[in-house]
């Protein structure tokens, strides 16, 4: 991993040299041979310093991770674990390209930047009326019982503890509560305990009088799923992605049928660095008797529906690659997600907000990750309309 960090750090410098015609291709190749030797020694250097003294190792790592040129969010010591999160943030992003509705910019400008911006009532009613066939219905606040679930694993038996995740938990809970959800928090669960918590949450009667739900997972992770607190290489403890979708699909959770189900996952999906050097050249049996049912059942009380529908998953990194977290501040993905929700959920639909988060990660830096939008079965736009 130190190799990857070093190569990324040097890459930007090489790009500048080439773009400004300081070095040509042959000269860059010769310099690169020397750089490769340095990079190959980077990991050994860190190990040697750490073995000599913890103080020397800390000074080196602090200096490396706290460079203002490398990290633009905050300068705090970074920590790479199996979920490996760290730093860097973009405080601004381009506006959505083609939103058909007009947005009251004066209302946006008048609200504090660090608070959730509320949607003006007239804007809410305009969209709700003019785009009724395109957006998910939003229940009125009176009598609405929105629920959200956060599962945050910080302490593990065999894996490293996820220091800083308490900041992610606090931030997400605060955001969801401000969006009108009653938040259920579960911490430090095994895979079986996570599954039990999900089933219990899916059975909540409040979903009948809700228009949507959020499921947020923060833990170590692998390509196969989310790690429970007892996970070890020899004894896997993993909550698989399919289990989450099955528990909340239309067969098993009819209270959330035709309602948005948003899954947010902060976890690694492998050990890859998520960057590369490139050159400018160059249960299925339920419907097996569907035909028979069509001929035998003549009742409006029973109708066919999609088993999996109205889901969207937003994950902190691409498959096989790591996510980054700061011991002191929490994960970059969650902090960016919270920022863009607060800034834009008053006027943009969910997928557009997710794209804004992705855009903030678009240019690879020293520590690289790219959030992904996956397994989307939403058939309409989902607006949160905070304050309404």
């Amino acid at each position: 991993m130190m190799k990857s960090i070093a190569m990324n750090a040097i890459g930007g410098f090489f790009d500048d040299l080439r773009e400004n015609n300081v070095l040509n291709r042959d000269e860059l190749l010769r310099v690169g041979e020397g750089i490769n030797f340095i990079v190959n020694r980077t990991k050994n250097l860190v190990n040697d310093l750490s073995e000599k003294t913890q103080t020397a190792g800390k000074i080196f790592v602090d200096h490396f991770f706290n460079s203002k040129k490398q990290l633009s969010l905050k300068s705090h010591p970074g920590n790479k674990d199996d979920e490996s999160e760290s730093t860097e943030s973009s405080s601004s992003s381009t506006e959505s390209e083609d939103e058909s509705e007009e947005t009251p910019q004066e209302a946006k400008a008048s609200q504090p930047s660090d608070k959730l911006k509320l949607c003006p009532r007239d804007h809410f009613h305009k969209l709700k009326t003019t785009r009724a066939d395109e957006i998910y219905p939003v229940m009125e606040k009176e009598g609405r019982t929105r629920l959200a679930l956060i599962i945050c694993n910080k302490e593990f038996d065999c894996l490293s503890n996820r220091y800083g995740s308490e900041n992610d938990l606090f931030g997400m809970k605060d955001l969801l509560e401000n969006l009108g959800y009653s938040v259920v928090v579960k911490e430090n669960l095994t895979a079986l305990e996570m599954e039990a918590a999900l089933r219990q949450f899916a059975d909540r009667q409040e979903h009948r009088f809700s228009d949507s739900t959020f499921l947020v997972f923060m833990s170590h992770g692998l390509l196969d799923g989310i790690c429970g607190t007892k996970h070890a290489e020899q004894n896997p403890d993993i909550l698989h992605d399919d289990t989450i979708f099955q528990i909340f699909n239309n067969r098993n959770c009819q209270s959330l049928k035709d309602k948005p189900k948003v899954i947010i996952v902060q976890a690694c999906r492998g050990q890859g660095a998520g960057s590369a050097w490139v050159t400018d050249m160059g249960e299925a049996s339920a419907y097996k008797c569907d035909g028979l049912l069509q001929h035998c059942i003549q009742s409006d009380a029973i109708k066919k529906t999609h088993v999996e529908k109205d889901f969207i998953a937003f994950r902190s990194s691409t498959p096989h690659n790591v996510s980054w977290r700061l011991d002191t501040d929490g994960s970059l993905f969650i902090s960016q997600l919270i920022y863009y929700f607060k800034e834009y959920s008053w006027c943009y639909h969910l997928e557009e907000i997710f794209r804004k988060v992705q855009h903030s990660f678009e240019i690879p830096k020293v520590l690289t990750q790219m959030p992904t939008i996956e397994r989307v079965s939403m058939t309409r736009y989902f607006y949160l309309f905070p304050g309404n």
Side-chain angles (χ1 to χ4, degrees):
M1 186 55 62
M2 290 301 301
K3 275 189 183 183
S4 173
I5 295 172
M7 292 297 285
N8 276 323
I10 296 164
F13 177 60
F14 271 25
D15 290 341
D16 290 342
L17 291 176
R18 184 179 57 198
E19 290 174 4
N20 290 280
N21 297 317
V22 177
L23 297 177
N24 60 33
R25 185 175 180 275
D26 292 337
E27 289 170 330
L28 282 173
L29 288 174
R30 287 197 298 272
V31 174
E33 292 176 358
I35 293 296
N36 282 333
F37 176 79
I38 296 173
V39 169
N40 288 331
R41 298 289 299 172
T42 302
K43 182 177 180 181
N44 292 336
L45 174 60
V46 174
N47 290 337
D48 291 343
L49 285 173
S50 299
E51 289 173 2
K52 294 290 183 181
T53 167
Q54 291 182 351
T55 303
K58 183 178 186 303
I59 291 172
F60 178 83
V61 174
D62 284 353
H63 176 78
F64 194 90
F65 281 94
N66 284 346
S67 171
K68 291 182 179 179
K69 293 182 179 180
Q70 296 167 358
L71 306 178
S72 60
L73 180 62
K74 290 186 179 179
S75 293
H76 290 288
N79 178 35
K80 187 264 182 193
D81 54 27
D82 287 359
E83 170 201 348
S84 304
E85 289 104 29
S86 182
T87 97
E88 158 194 348
S89 117
S90 177
S91 61
S92 62
S93 177
T94 58
E95 291 294 324
S96 174
E97 296 174 355
D98 288 311
E99 288 294 328
S100 59
E101 71 279 359
E102 295 180 0
T103 55
Q105 296 297 324
E106 65 280 0
K108 173 182 174 181
S110 66
Q111 300 183 43
S113 60
D114 61 337
K115 300 290 185 181
L116 176 68
K117 289 180 168 58
L118 303 181
C119 178
R121 191 74 176 169
D122 57 345
H123 184 61
F124 165 60
H125 280 295
K126 177 183 176 181
L127 277 184
K128 188 176 179 181
T129 303
T130 60
R131 304 188 67 182
D133 294 336
E134 302 176 54
I135 67 176
Y136 282 101
V138 177
M139 292 182 176
E140 295 291 340
K141 291 175 69 174
E142 187 69 27
R144 185 177 67 194
T145 55
R146 286 176 171 174
L147 290 179
L149 174 65
I150 300 177
I151 295 179
C152 180
N153 289 340
K154 176 181 178 180
E155 300 175 357
F156 293 81
D157 292 351
C158 300
L159 304 178
S160 60
N161 290 337
R162 299 180 59 252
Y163 299 111
S165 60
E166 62 276 6
N167 296 302
D168 293 340
L169 174 58
F170 175 83
M172 281 303 303
K173 183 174 184 292
D174 178 70
L175 173 67
L176 291 170
E177 287 176 343
N178 286 323
L179 289 170
Y181 293 85
S182 296
V183 181
V184 178
V185 175
K186 301 289 185 180
E187 298 183 73
N188 300 323
L189 304 181
T190 65
L192 287 177
E193 289 170 341
M194 285 192 281
E195 182 175 345
L198 289 170
R199 295 189 186 281
Q200 184 180 35
F201 183 76
D203 289 339
R204 294 281 293 265
Q205 292 302 304
E206 291 95 327
H207 293 311
R208 296 172 55 200
F209 307 102
S210 175
D211 52 18
S212 57
T213 193
F214 277 77
L215 306 170
V216 183
F217 301 87
M218 305 172 185
S219 185
H220 290 304
L222 302 170
L223 183 62
D224 294 336
I226 301 165
C227 293
T229 55
K230 295 186 179 300
H231 180 77
E233 186 175 354
Q234 298 79 10
N235 297 294
D237 183 32
I238 297 175
L239 175 69
H240 294 279
D241 294 341
D242 275 345
T243 302
I244 303 169
F245 285 87
Q246 288 169 4
I247 291 173
F248 288 89
N249 67 24
N250 288 334
R251 182 185 294 133
N252 297 318
C253 186
Q254 296 187 16
S255 296
L256 287 171
K257 178 178 173 293
D258 298 326
K259 302 173 183 179
K261 295 166 279 286
V262 184
I263 299 170
I264 295 172
V265 181
Q266 165 59 45
C268 270
R269 306 177 73 181
Q271 293 293 322
S275 61
W277 288 87
V278 297
T279 175
D280 288 336
M281 298 178 291
E283 296 170 51
S285 62
Y287 292 110
K288 285 184 178 178
C289 57
D290 185 57
L292 179 62
L293 286 174
Q294 290 182 16
H295 290 91
C296 299
I297 298 177
Q298 303 294 329
S299 171
D300 290 334
I302 299 178
K303 62 180 181 181
K304 183 166 68 174
T305 187
H306 297 281
V307 174
E308 183 174 310
K309 179 174 165 289
D310 308 302
F311 282 97
I312 185 170
F314 196 31
R315 309 188 66 118
S316 57
S317 65
T318 48
H320 306 287
N321 293 317
V322 299
S323 299
W324 294 96
R325 171 174 42 81
L326 282 172
D327 280 356
T328 51
D329 292 340
S331 66
L332 177 57
F333 170 67
I334 294 295
S335 66
Q336 291 291 81
L337 187 71
I338 291 171
Y339 169 78
Y340 283 101
F341 263 89
K342 287 182 175 181
E343 192 73 15
Y344 295 109
S345 61
W346 71 279
C347 59
Y348 293 126
H349 60 79
L350 186 78
E351 290 177 77
E352 186 62 28
I353 298 170
F354 284 173
R355 276 191 288 272
K356 286 181 177 293
V357 177
Q358 288 180 306
H359 181 75
S360 71
F361 289 87
E362 185 173 21
I363 300 175
K365 303 295 183 181
V366 175
L367 304 176
T368 303
Q369 66 186 89
M370 174 51 67
T372 59
I373 304 170
E374 301 181 1
R375 205 157 170 169
V376 182
S377 56
M378 298 177 74
T379 58
R380 301 179 178 219
Y381 297 118
F382 177 33
Y383 285 87
L384 286 157
F385 299 121
N388 296 278

